[in-house]
Amino acid sequence: NGVNVVVTNNSWGSHEPSRLLRDAIAAEGARDILFVSSAGNDGRSLDVVPTFPAADHLDNMIVVAALDRSGRLASFSNYSTGLVDIAAPGVALPS
């Protein structure tokens, strides 16, 4: 329909993996669409307690953790040394 989607922003998740969702994200990658995913808001390691889709971490994904106003990992943010790509401000943002 003439729409040129290059990136999607996805701030949601589940503790249940979904093959259908994983396949849909991979299909986006095949069309050169970047899938940006929240790391999740459980304050846990994705390596121990996976949150999806972040824990799927496909080639076309960027997984983002949240930082507090001091630039430290927010207390609620999920984290991982291998699955999280970047952290961004996520606490008390100005409106």
Side-chain angles (χ1 to χ4, degrees), residues 63-74:
V63 178
V64 183
L67 297 176
D68 65 19
R69 295 188 86 171
S70 299
R72 292 184 296 262
L73 186 69

Side-chain angles (χ1 to χ4, degrees), residues 15-84:
H15 292 289
E16 297 297 322
S18 167
R19 181 67 184 190
L20 184 63
L21 177 58
R22 184 177 169 77
D23 290 349
I25 296 167
E28 284 186 1
R31 293 189 314 267
D32 294 324
I33 298 172
L34 180 63
F35 186 95
V36 179
S37 175
S38 162
N41 297 330
D42 302 307
R44 299 179 184 165
S45 169
L46 291 172
D47 305 312
V48 177
V49 182
T51 298
F52 298 93
D56 284 329
H57 206 289
L58 299 168
D59 289 342
N60 64 311
M61 289 180 73
I62 294 177
V63 178
V64 183
L67 297 176
D68 65 19
R69 295 188 86 171
S70 299
R72 292 184 296 262
L73 186 69
S75 62
F76 60 82
S77 184
N78 290 351
Y79 54 90
S80 170
T81 57
L83 296 172
V84 173

